[in-house]
Amino acid sequence: MPERPRTGGPEMLPSVRGLRAGARRNLQAILEAAAHLLADDPDASMQEVAAAAGLHRATLYRHFPTREDLMLAIH
């Protein structure tokens, strides 16, 4: 069975320069909140991550369409 291509990780993040200022702040808030929250509770939901970042879940999913994408980005 072929290996599934990686869809996330820091190397896959959108170019920070290409993002507007608000999107850069949102991305940073998501990554910081996810790192802290998931370190304490690896089973935390995407909704909990979004709330910890002070954002709506839809904003989180715009940056990270799957939980795997988010997990790869913070590792």
Side-chain angles (χ1 to χ4, degrees):
M1 178 179 230
E3 185 178 18
R4 183 174 171 224
R6 297 180 97 191
T7 57
E11 69 281 358
M12 302 299 276
L13 291 176
S15 170
V16 173
R17 288 184 185 165
L19 296 176
R20 61 182 177 73
R24 283 195 303 271
R25 283 191 302 272
N26 290 347
L27 179 60
Q28 187 63 37
I30 291 167
L31 293 173
E32 288 177 10
H36 292 290
L37 183 63
L38 295 170
D40 291 338
D41 180 8
D43 295 323
S45 70
M46 293 290 272
Q47 175 62 46
E48 291 172 310
V49 172
L55 302 168
H56 291 278
R57 190 176 54 177
T59 302
L60 172 73
Y61 280 111
R62 261 185 244 117
H63 288 281
F64 301 100
T66 68
R67 181 182 181 86
E68 181 181 336
D69 293 333
L70 177 60
M71 297 299 288
L72 289 170
I74 62 173
H75 282 96

